[in-house]
Amino acid sequence: MPANKKYLTKSPWIKLSKLLAGSLGGYLVTLSFHAALTRVFPKEYVMITSFITGYLLWATLLLVAFLIPKAWKTWAIYVMLIGLFSGIYFI
């Protein structure tokens, strides 16, 4: 059963922006989240668990990027999360 055309994005730039937000933005959120975790837990433990949790978090963020209707909202949420986790790490 094909998708309904009225729900599909017509602009290739919006598709590209969502793809980049999901892949690159999700990856940066994942990295900054695990860096922030090193402030709470020993680095060795975070490093070991990040092999599994990092992929799961990145894949989830990639899917969430396509669930949010506006690409700029996805970028805004991911930039705020990166700023929050990076702030925790650097303070």
Side-chain angles (χ1 to χ4, degrees):
M1 180 173 197
N4 194 343
K5 298 287 184 190
K6 69 179 179 181
Y7 295 116
L8 297 177
T9 303
K10 294 181 181 22
S11 171
W13 295 108
I14 294 174
K15 290 178 188 178
L16 178 66
S17 180
K18 283 188 175 191
L19 181 66
L20 287 174
S23 58
L24 181 65
Y27 183 69
L28 292 174
V29 170
T30 302
L31 284 178
S32 62
F33 174 72
H34 285 94
L37 281 180
T38 60
R39 290 294 191 182
V40 180
F41 301 108
K43 292 180 183 178
E44 298 82 21
Y45 298 149
V46 174
M47 183 84 154
I48 292 169
T49 58
S50 70
F51 289 115
I52 296 170
T53 59
Y55 178 74
L56 293 174
L57 181 60
W58 175 78
T60 304
L61 290 170
L62 179 63
L63 291 175
V64 166
F66 287 98
L67 291 176
I68 298 173
K70 302 284 185 186
W72 67 268
K73 286 183 182 179
T74 306
W75 278 110
I77 291 168
Y78 286 179
V79 166
M80 285 190 302
L81 287 174
I82 291 168
L84 174 73
F85 295 143
S86 297
I88 291 171
Y89 176 71
F90 287 118
I91 289 179

Coordinates of all heavy atoms in Angstrom, one line a residue:
M1 N 0.9 -1.2 0.0 CA 0.0 0.0 0.0 C 0.9 1.2 0.0 O 1.7 1.5 0.9 CB -0.9 0.0 1.2 CG -1.8 1.1 1.4 SD -2.9 0.8 2.8 CE -4.1 1.9 2.4
P2 N 0.8 2.1 -1.0 CA 1.7 3.2 -1.1 C 1.3 4.3 -0.1 O 0.2 4.4 0.3 CB 1.6 3.7 -2.5 CG 0.3 3.1 -3.0 CD 0.1 1.9 -2.2
A3 N 2.2 5.2 0.2 CA 2.0 6.3 1.1 C 1.1 7.3 0.4 O 1.1 7.5 -0.8 CB 3.3 6.9 1.5
N4 N 0.3 8.0 1.3 CA -0.6 9.1 0.8 C 0.3 10.3 0.4 O 1.1 10.7 1.2 CB -1.6 9.4 1.9 CG -2.7 10.2 1.3 OD1 -2.7 10.8 0.3 ND2 -3.8 10.3 2.1
K5 N 0.1 10.8 -0.8 CA 1.0 11.8 -1.3 C 0.9 13.1 -0.6 O 1.8 13.9 -0.5 CB 0.6 12.1 -2.8 CG 0.8 11.0 -3.7 CD 2.2 10.7 -4.0 CE 2.4 9.6 -5.0 NZ 3.7 9.1 -5.1
K6 N -0.3 13.4 0.1 CA -0.4 14.7 0.8 C 0.5 14.7 2.1 O 0.7 15.8 2.6 CB -1.8 15.0 1.1 CG -2.4 14.1 2.2 CD -3.9 14.5 2.4 CE -4.5 13.5 3.5 NZ -5.9 13.9 3.7
Y7 N 0.9 13.6 2.6 CA 1.8 13.5 3.8 C 3.3 13.5 3.4 O 4.1 13.6 4.3 CB 1.4 12.3 4.6 CG 0.0 12.3 5.2 CD1 -0.9 11.4 4.8 CD2 -0.4 13.3 6.0 CE1 -2.2 11.4 5.3 CE2 -1.7 13.4 6.5 CZ -2.5 12.4 6.1 OH -3.8 12.4 6.6
L8 N 3.6 13.4 2.2 CA 5.0 13.3 1.8 C 5.6 14.7 1.6 O 4.9 15.6 1.1 CB 5.2 12.5 0.5 CG 4.8 11.0 0.6 CD1 4.9 10.4 -0.7 CD2 5.6 10.3 1.7
T9 N 6.9 14.9 1.9 CA 7.6 16.2 1.7 C 7.9 16.3 0.2 O 8.5 15.4 -0.4 CB 8.8 16.2 2.6 OG1 8.5 16.0 3.9 CG2 9.5 17.6 2.4
K10 N 7.6 17.5 -0.3 CA 7.9 17.7 -1.8 C 9.3 18.2 -2.0 O 9.9 18.0 -3.0 CB 6.8 18.5 -2.4 CG 5.4 17.9 -2.3 CD 4.4 18.8 -2.9 CE 3.0 18.2 -3.0 NZ 2.6 17.2 -2.1
S11 N 9.8 19.0 -1.1 CA 11.1 19.7 -1.3 C 12.3 18.8 -1.0 O 12.3 18.2 0.1 CB 11.2 20.9 -0.4 OG 12.4 21.5 -0.5
P12 N 13.2 18.7 -2.0 CA 14.4 17.9 -1.7 C 15.3 18.5 -0.6 O 16.0 17.8 0.1 CB 15.1 17.8 -3.0 CG 14.6 18.9 -3.8 CD 13.2 19.2 -3.3
W13 N 15.2 19.8 -0.5 CA 16.1 20.5 0.5 C 15.6 20.2 2.0 O 16.4 20.0 2.9 CB 16.1 22.0 0.3 CG 16.7 22.3 -1.0 CD1 16.1 22.8 -2.1 CD2 18.1 22.2 -1.3 NE1 17.0 22.9 -3.1 CE2 18.3 22.6 -2.6 CE3 19.2 21.8 -0.6 CZ2 19.5 22.6 -3.3 CZ3 20.5 21.8 -1.2 CH2 20.6 22.2 -2.5
I14 N 14.3 20.0 2.1 CA 13.7 19.7 3.5 C 14.1 18.2 3.8 O 14.5 17.9 4.9 CB 12.2 19.9 3.5 CG1 11.9 21.4 3.4 CG2 11.6 19.4 4.8 CD1 10.5 21.8 3.3
K15 N 14.0 17.4 2.8 CA 14.4 16.0 3.0 C 15.9 15.9 3.3 O 16.3 15.1 4.3 CB 14.2 15.2 1.7 CG 12.7 15.0 1.4 CD 12.6 14.2 0.1 CE 11.2 14.1 -0.4 NZ 11.1 13.4 -1.7
L16 N 16.7 16.6 2.6 CA 18.2 16.6 2.9 C 18.4 17.2 4.3 O 19.3 16.7 5.1 CB 18.9 17.5 1.9 CG 20.4 17.6 2.1 CD1 21.1 16.2 2.0 CD2 21.0 18.6 1.2
S17 N 17.7 18.3 4.7 CA 17.9 18.8 6.0 C 17.5 17.9 7.1 O 18.2 17.8 8.2 CB 17.1 20.1 6.1 OG 17.2 20.7 7.4
K18 N 16.4 17.1 6.9 CA 16.0 16.2 7.9 C 17.0 15.0 8.0 O 17.3 14.5 9.1 CB 14.6 15.6 7.6 CG 13.5 16.6 8.0 CD 12.2 15.9 7.8 CE 11.1 16.8 8.3 NZ 9.8 16.1 8.4
L19 N 17.5 14.6 6.9 CA 18.5 13.5 6.8 C 19.8 13.9 7.6 O 20.3 13.2 8.4 CB 18.8 13.1 5.4 CG 19.8 12.0 5.2 CD1 19.2 10.7 5.8 CD2 20.1 11.8 3.8
L20 N 20.2 15.1 7.3 CA 21.4 15.6 8.0 C 21.2 15.9 9.5 O 22.0 15.6 10.3 CB 21.9 16.9 7.3 CG 22.6 16.8 6.0 CD1 22.9 18.1 5.4 CD2 23.8 15.9 6.1
A21 N 20.0 16.4 9.8 CA 19.7 16.6 11.2 C 19.6 15.2 12.0 O 20.1 15.1 13.1 CB 18.3 17.3 11.4
G22 N 19.0 14.2 11.3 CA 18.9 12.9 12.0 C 20.3 12.2 12.1 O 20.6 11.7 13.1
S23 N 21.1 12.3 11.0 CA 22.3 11.5 11.0 C 23.4 12.3 11.8 O 24.0 11.8 12.8 CB 22.8 11.2 9.6 OG 22.9 12.3 8.8
L24 N 23.7 13.5 11.3 CA 24.8 14.3 11.9 C 24.4 14.8 13.3 O 25.2 14.7 14.2 CB 25.2 15.4 10.9 CG 26.3 16.3 11.4 CD1 27.6 15.5 11.5 CD2 26.5 17.5 10.5
G25 N 23.2 15.4 13.3 CA 22.8 16.0 14.6 C 22.6 14.9 15.6 O 22.9 15.1 16.8
G26 N 22.0 13.8 15.2 CA 21.8 12.7 16.2 C 23.1 12.1 16.7 O 23.3 11.8 17.8
Y27 N 24.1 12.1 15.8 CA 25.5 11.6 16.2 C 26.1 12.6 17.2 O 26.7 12.1 18.2 CB 26.3 11.5 14.9 CG 27.7 10.9 15.2 CD1 27.9 9.6 15.6 CD2 28.8 11.7 15.1 CE1 29.1 9.1 15.9 CE2 30.1 11.2 15.3 CZ 30.2 9.9 15.7 OH 31.5 9.4 16.0
L28 N 26.0 13.9 16.9 CA 26.6 14.9 17.8 C 25.9 14.9 19.2 O 26.5 15.0 20.2 CB 26.6 16.2 17.2 CG 27.5 16.4 16.0 CD1 27.3 17.8 15.4 CD2 28.9 16.2 16.4
V29 N 24.5 14.7 19.2 CA 23.8 14.6 20.5 C 24.3 13.3 21.2 O 24.5 13.4 22.4 CB 22.3 14.5 20.2 CG1 21.5 14.2 21.5 CG2 21.8 15.9 19.7
T30 N 24.5 12.2 20.5 CA 24.9 11.0 21.2 C 26.3 11.2 21.8 O 26.6 10.8 22.9 CB 24.9 9.9 20.1 OG1 23.6 9.7 19.6 CG2 25.4 8.6 20.7
L31 N 27.2 11.8 21.0 CA 28.6 12.0 21.5 C 28.6 13.0 22.7 O 29.2 12.7 23.8 CB 29.5 12.7 20.4 CG 30.0 11.7 19.4 CD1 30.8 12.5 18.3 CD2 30.8 10.6 19.9
S32 N 27.8 14.0 22.7 CA 27.8 15.0 23.8 C 27.1 14.4 25.0 O 27.5 14.6 26.1 CB 27.1 16.3 23.4 OG 25.8 16.1 23.0
F33 N 26.1 13.5 24.8 CA 25.4 12.9 25.9 C 26.4 11.9 26.6 O 26.5 11.9 27.9 CB 24.2 12.1 25.4 CG 23.6 11.2 26.4 CD1 22.8 11.8 27.5 CD2 23.7 9.8 26.4 CE1 22.2 11.1 28.4 CE2 23.1 9.1 27.4 CZ 22.3 9.7 28.4
H34 N 27.2 11.1 25.9 CA 28.1 10.2 26.5 C 29.3 11.0 27.2 O 29.8 10.5 28.2 CB 28.6 9.2 25.5 CG 27.5 8.1 25.3 ND1 26.7 8.2 24.2 CD2 27.2 7.0 26.0 CE1 25.8 7.2 24.3 NE2 26.1 6.4 25.3
A35 N 29.6 12.1 26.6 CA 30.7 12.9 27.2 C 30.2 13.5 28.5 O 30.9 13.5 29.5 CB 31.1 14.1 26.3
A36 N 28.9 13.9 28.6 CA 28.3 14.4 29.8 C 28.2 13.3 30.9 O 28.4 13.5 32.1 CB 27.0 15.0 29.6
L37 N 28.0 12.0 30.4 CA 27.9 10.9 31.4 C 29.3 10.6 32.1 O 29.3 10.1 33.2 CB 27.5 9.6 30.7 CG 26.0 9.5 30.4 CD1 25.7 8.2 29.7 CD2 25.2 9.6 31.7
T38 N 30.4 11.1 31.4 CA 31.7 10.8 32.0 C 31.9 11.7 33.3 O 32.8 11.5 34.1 CB 32.8 11.1 31.0 OG1 32.8 12.5 30.6 CG2 32.8 10.2 29.9
R39 N 31.0 12.7 33.4 CA 31.1 13.5 34.7 C 30.5 12.8 35.9 O 30.8 13.1 37.0 CB 30.4 14.9 34.5 CG 31.1 15.8 33.6 CD 32.4 16.2 34.2 NE 33.0 17.3 33.5 CZ 34.1 17.8 33.8 NH1 34.8 17.3 34.8 NH2 34.6 18.8 33.1
V40 N 29.6 11.8 35.6 CA 28.9 11.1 36.6 C 29.5 9.8 36.9 O 29.7 9.4 38.1 CB 27.4 11.0 36.3 CG1 26.7 10.2 37.3 CG2 26.8 12.3 36.0
F41 N 29.9 9.1 35.8 CA 30.4 7.7 36.0 C 31.9 7.7 35.5 O 32.3 8.6 34.8 CB 29.6 6.7 35.1 CG 28.1 6.7 35.5 CD1 27.2 7.3 34.6 CD2 27.7 6.1 36.6 CE1 25.8 7.2 35.0 CE2 26.4 6.1 37.0 CZ 25.4 6.6 36.1
P42 N 32.6 6.7 35.9 CA 34.0 6.5 35.4 C 34.0 6.4 33.9 O 33.2 5.8 33.3 CB 34.5 5.3 36.1 CG 33.6 5.1 37.3 CD 32.3 5.6 36.9
K43 N 35.1 7.0 33.3 CA 35.2 7.0 31.9 C 35.2 5.6 31.2 O 34.7 5.4 30.1 CB 36.4 7.8 31.5 CG 36.3 9.3 31.8 CD 37.6 10.0 31.4 CE 37.5 11.5 31.8 NZ 38.6 12.2 31.5
E44 N 35.8 4.7 31.9 CA 36.0 3.3 31.4 C 34.6 2.7 31.2 O 34.3 2.0 30.2 CB 36.8 2.4 32.3 CG 38.3 2.9 32.4 CD 38.4 4.0 33.5 OE1 37.5 4.2 34.4 OE2 39.4 4.8 33.4
Y45 N 33.7 2.9 32.2 CA 32.4 2.3 32.1 C 31.5 3.0 31.0 O 30.8 2.3 30.3 CB 31.6 2.4 33.5 CG 32.3 1.7 34.6 CD1 32.2 2.2 35.9 CD2 33.1 0.6 34.4 CE1 32.8 1.5 36.9 CE2 33.7 -0.1 35.4 CZ 33.6 0.4 36.7 OH 34.2 -0.3 37.7
V46 N 31.7 4.3 30.9 CA 30.9 5.0 29.9 C 31.4 4.5 28.5 O 30.6 4.3 27.6 CB 31.0 6.5 30.0 CG1 30.4 7.2 28.9 CG2 30.4 6.9 31.3
M47 N 32.7 4.4 28.4 CA 33.3 3.9 27.1 C 32.8 2.6 26.7 O 32.4 2.3 25.5 CB 34.8 3.9 27.2 CG 35.5 3.6 25.9 SD 35.6 5.1 25.0 CE 37.1 4.7 24.1
I48 N 32.7 1.7 27.6 CA 32.3 0.3 27.3 C 30.8 0.3 26.9 O 30.4 -0.3 25.9 CB 32.5 -0.6 28.5 CG1 34.0 -0.8 28.7 CG2 31.9 -2.0 28.3 CD1 34.4 -1.5 30.0
T49 N 30.0 1.0 27.7 CA 28.5 0.9 27.4 C 28.1 1.8 26.2 O 27.1 1.6 25.6 CB 27.7 1.4 28.6 OG1 28.1 2.7 29.0 CG2 27.9 0.4 29.8
S50 N 29.0 2.7 25.9 CA 28.6 3.6 24.7 C 28.6 2.9 23.4 O 28.0 3.4 22.4 CB 29.5 4.8 24.7 OG 30.8 4.4 24.3
F51 N 29.3 1.7 23.3 CA 29.3 1.0 22.1 C 27.9 0.5 21.7 O 27.5 0.5 20.6 CB 30.2 -0.2 22.1 CG 31.7 0.2 22.1 CD1 32.5 -0.1 23.2 CD2 32.2 0.8 21.0 CE1 33.8 0.3 23.2 CE2 33.5 1.1 20.9 CZ 34.3 0.9 22.0
I52 N 27.1 0.2 22.7 CA 25.7 -0.3 22.5 C 24.7 0.8 22.6 O 23.9 1.1 21.7 CB 25.4 -1.4 23.5 CG1 26.3 -2.6 23.3 CG2 23.9 -1.8 23.4 CD1 26.2 -3.7 24.3
T53 N 24.8 1.6 23.7 CA 23.8 2.6 23.9 C 24.0 3.8 22.9 O 23.0 4.4 22.6 CB 23.9 3.2 25.3 OG1 25.2 3.7 25.5 CG2 23.6 2.2 26.4
G54 N 25.2 4.0 22.4 CA 25.4 5.0 21.4 C 24.7 4.7 20.1 O 24.1 5.6 19.6
Y55 N 24.8 3.5 19.7 CA 24.1 3.1 18.5 C 22.6 3.2 18.7 O 21.8 3.7 17.8 CB 24.5 1.7 18.0 CG 23.7 1.3 16.8 CD1 24.0 1.9 15.5 CD2 22.6 0.4 16.9 CE1 23.3 1.5 14.4 CE2 21.9 0.1 15.7 CZ 22.3 0.6 14.5 OH 21.5 0.3 13.4
L56 N 22.1 2.8 19.8 CA 20.6 2.8 20.0 C 20.1 4.2 20.1 O 19.1 4.6 19.6 CB 20.3 2.0 21.3 CG 20.5 0.5 21.3 CD1 20.3 -0.1 22.7 CD2 19.6 -0.1 20.3
L57 N 20.9 5.1 20.8 CA 20.5 6.5 20.9 C 20.5 7.2 19.6 O 19.6 7.9 19.2 CB 21.3 7.2 21.9 CG 21.0 8.7 22.2 CD1 19.6 8.9 22.7 CD2 22.0 9.3 23.2
W58 N 21.6 6.9 18.8 CA 21.7 7.5 17.5 C 20.6 7.1 16.5 O 20.0 7.9 15.8 CB 23.1 7.2 16.9 CG 23.2 7.7 15.5 CD1 23.4 9.0 15.1 CD2 23.0 6.9 14.3 NE1 23.5 9.1 13.7 CE2 23.2 7.8 13.2 CE3 22.7 5.6 14.0 CZ2 23.1 7.4 11.9 CZ3 22.7 5.2 12.7 CH2 22.8 6.1 11.6
A59 N 20.3 5.8 16.5 CA 19.2 5.3 15.7 C 17.8 5.9 16.1 O 17.0 6.2 15.2 CB 19.1 3.8 15.7
T60 N 17.6 6.0 17.4 CA 16.4 6.6 17.8 C 16.3 8.1 17.4 O 15.2 8.6 17.0 CB 16.3 6.5 19.4 OG1 16.4 5.1 19.7 CG2 15.0 7.1 19.9
L61 N 17.4 8.8 17.6 CA 17.4 10.2 17.2 C 17.2 10.4 15.7 O 16.6 11.4 15.2 CB 18.6 10.9 17.7 CG 18.7 11.1 19.2 CD1 20.1 11.6 19.6 CD2 17.7 12.1 19.7
L62 N 17.7 9.5 14.9 CA 17.5 9.5 13.5 C 16.1 9.3 13.1 O 15.5 10.0 12.2 CB 18.4 8.4 12.8 CG 18.3 8.3 11.3 CD1 18.8 9.5 10.6 CD2 19.1 7.1 10.8
L63 N 15.4 8.4 13.8 CA 14.0 8.2 13.5 C 13.1 9.4 14.0 O 12.2 9.8 13.3 CB 13.5 7.0 14.2 CG 14.0 5.7 13.6 CD1 13.5 4.5 14.4 CD2 13.6 5.5 12.2
V64 N 13.5 10.0 15.1 CA 12.7 11.1 15.7 C 12.8 12.3 14.7 O 11.9 13.1 14.6 CB 13.3 11.5 17.1 CG1 12.8 12.8 17.6 CG2 12.8 10.4 18.1
A65 N 14.0 12.5 14.1 CA 14.1 13.6 13.1 C 13.1 13.6 12.0 O 12.6 14.6 11.5 CB 15.5 13.6 12.5
F66 N 12.7 12.4 11.6 CA 11.7 12.3 10.6 C 10.2 12.3 11.1 O 9.3 12.5 10.4 CB 11.9 11.0 9.8 CG 13.1 11.1 8.9 CD1 14.3 10.6 9.2 CD2 13.0 11.7 7.6 CE1 15.4 10.7 8.4 CE2 14.1 11.8 6.8 CZ 15.3 11.3 7.2
L67 N 10.1 12.2 12.4 CA 8.7 12.3 13.0 C 8.3 13.7 13.3 O 7.2 14.0 13.3 CB 8.7 11.4 14.3 CG 8.8 9.9 14.1 CD1 8.8 9.3 15.5 CD2 7.6 9.4 13.3
I68 N 9.3 14.6 13.5 CA 9.0 16.0 13.8 C 8.7 16.6 12.4 O 9.5 16.5 11.4 CB 10.2 16.7 14.4 CG1 10.5 16.0 15.8 CG2 10.0 18.1 14.6 CD1 11.8 16.5 16.4
P69 N 7.5 17.3 12.3 CA 7.1 17.8 11.0 C 8.0 18.9 10.4 O 8.1 18.9 9.2 CB 5.7 18.4 11.3 CG 5.4 18.2 12.7 CD 6.6 17.5 13.4
K70 N 8.6 19.7 11.2 CA 9.4 20.8 10.7 C 10.9 20.5 10.9 O 11.3 20.2 12.0 CB 9.1 22.1 11.4 CG 7.6 22.6 11.2 CD 7.3 23.1 9.9 CE 5.9 23.6 9.8 NZ 5.5 24.0 8.5
A71 N 11.7 20.7 9.8 CA 13.1 20.4 9.9 C 13.8 21.4 10.9 O 14.8 21.0 11.6 CB 13.8 20.5 8.5
W72 N 13.4 22.6 10.9 CA 14.1 23.6 11.7 C 13.8 23.3 13.2 O 14.7 23.6 14.1 CB 13.7 25.0 11.4 CG 12.2 25.4 11.7 CD1 11.2 25.2 10.8 CD2 11.7 25.9 12.9 NE1 10.0 25.6 11.4 CE2 10.3 26.0 12.7 CE3 12.2 26.2 14.1 CZ2 9.5 26.5 13.7 CZ3 11.4 26.6 15.1 CH2 10.0 26.8 14.9
K73 N 12.7 22.7 13.6 CA 12.4 22.3 14.9 C 13.4 21.2 15.4 O 13.8 21.2 16.5 CB 11.0 21.9 15.1 CG 10.0 23.0 15.1 CD 8.6 22.5 15.4 CE 7.6 23.6 15.3 NZ 6.2 23.2 15.5
T74 N 13.6 20.3 14.5 CA 14.5 19.2 14.7 C 15.9 19.8 15.0 O 16.6 19.4 16.0 CB 14.6 18.2 13.5 OG1 13.3 17.8 13.2 CG2 15.5 17.0 13.9
W75 N 16.4 20.7 14.1 CA 17.7 21.3 14.3 C 17.8 22.0 15.7 O 18.7 22.0 16.4 CB 18.0 22.2 13.2 CG 18.6 21.5 12.0 CD1 17.9 21.4 10.8 CD2 19.8 20.9 11.8 NE1 18.7 20.7 9.9 CE2 19.9 20.4 10.5 CE3 20.9 20.7 12.7 CZ2 21.0 19.7 10.1 CZ3 22.0 20.0 12.2 CH2 22.0 19.5 10.9
A76 N 16.7 22.8 16.0 CA 16.7 23.5 17.2 C 16.7 22.6 18.4 O 17.5 22.9 19.4 CB 15.4 24.4 17.3
I77 N 16.0 21.6 18.4 CA 16.0 20.6 19.6 C 17.4 20.0 19.7 O 17.9 19.9 20.8 CB 14.9 19.6 19.4 CG1 13.5 20.2 19.6 CG2 15.1 18.4 20.4 CD1 12.4 19.3 19.1
Y78 N 18.0 19.6 18.6 CA 19.3 18.9 18.7 C 20.4 19.9 19.1 O 21.3 19.5 19.8 CB 19.6 18.2 17.3 CG 18.8 17.0 17.1 CD1 18.9 16.3 15.9 CD2 17.9 16.5 18.0 CE1 18.2 15.1 15.6 CE2 17.1 15.3 17.7 CZ 17.3 14.7 16.6 OH 16.6 13.5 16.3
V79 N 20.3 21.1 18.6 CA 21.3 22.1 19.0 C 21.2 22.4 20.5 O 22.2 22.5 21.2 CB 21.2 23.4 18.2 CG1 22.0 24.5 18.8 CG2 21.7 23.1 16.8
M80 N 20.0 22.5 21.0 CA 19.8 22.7 22.5 C 20.3 21.5 23.3 O 20.9 21.7 24.3 CB 18.3 23.0 22.8 CG 17.9 24.4 22.4 SD 16.2 24.9 23.0 CE 15.2 23.6 22.3
L81 N 20.0 20.3 22.8 CA 20.5 19.2 23.5 C 22.1 19.1 23.5 O 22.7 18.8 24.5 CB 19.9 17.9 22.9 CG 18.5 17.6 23.3 CD1 18.0 16.4 22.5 CD2 18.3 17.4 24.7
I82 N 22.6 19.4 22.4 CA 24.1 19.4 22.3 C 24.7 20.5 23.2 O 25.7 20.2 23.9 CB 24.6 19.7 20.8 CG1 24.2 18.5 20.0 CG2 26.1 20.0 20.8 CD1 24.3 18.7 18.5
G83 N 24.1 21.6 23.3 CA 24.5 22.7 24.2 C 24.4 22.3 25.6 O 25.3 22.6 26.4
L84 N 23.3 21.7 26.0 CA 23.1 21.2 27.3 C 24.1 20.2 27.8 O 24.7 20.3 28.8 CB 21.6 20.7 27.5 CG 21.3 20.0 28.8 CD1 21.2 21.1 29.9 CD2 20.1 19.2 28.7
F85 N 24.3 19.2 27.0 CA 25.2 18.1 27.3 C 26.7 18.6 27.3 O 27.5 18.2 28.1 CB 25.0 16.9 26.4 CG 23.7 16.2 26.5 CD1 23.0 15.7 25.4 CD2 23.0 16.1 27.8 CE1 21.8 15.1 25.6 CE2 21.8 15.5 27.9 CZ 21.2 15.0 26.8
S86 N 27.0 19.5 26.3 CA 28.3 20.0 26.3 C 28.6 20.9 27.5 O 29.7 20.9 28.0 CB 28.6 20.8 25.0 OG 28.4 19.9 23.9
G87 N 27.6 21.7 27.9 CA 27.7 22.5 29.1 C 28.0 21.7 30.3 O 28.8 22.1 31.2
I88 N 27.3 20.6 30.4 CA 27.5 19.7 31.6 C 28.9 19.2 31.6 O 29.6 19.1 32.6 CB 26.5 18.6 31.6 CG1 25.1 19.1 31.9 CG2 26.8 17.5 32.6 CD1 24.0 18.1 31.7
Y89 N 29.4 18.8 30.4 CA 30.7 18.2 30.3 C 31.8 19.3 30.6 O 32.8 19.0 31.3 CB 30.9 17.7 28.9 CG 32.3 17.1 28.7 CD1 32.7 15.9 29.3 CD2 33.2 17.8 27.8 CE1 34.0 15.4 29.1 CE2 34.5 17.3 27.6 CZ 34.9 16.1 28.3 OH 36.1 15.6 28.1
F90 N 31.7 20.5 30.1 CA 32.7 21.5 30.2 C 32.7 22.2 31.6 O 33.7 22.9 31.9 CB 32.7 22.5 29.1 CG 33.2 21.9 27.8 CD1 32.3 21.8 26.7 CD2 34.5 21.4 27.7 CE1 32.8 21.2 25.5 CE2 34.9 20.9 26.5 CZ 34.1 20.8 25.4
I91 N 31.6 22.1 32.3 CA 31.6 22.8 33.6 C 32.2 22.0 34.7 O 32.4 20.9 34.8 CB 30.1 23.2 34.0 CG1 29.7 24.3 33.0 CG2 30.0 23.6 35.4 CD1 28.3 24.8 33.2

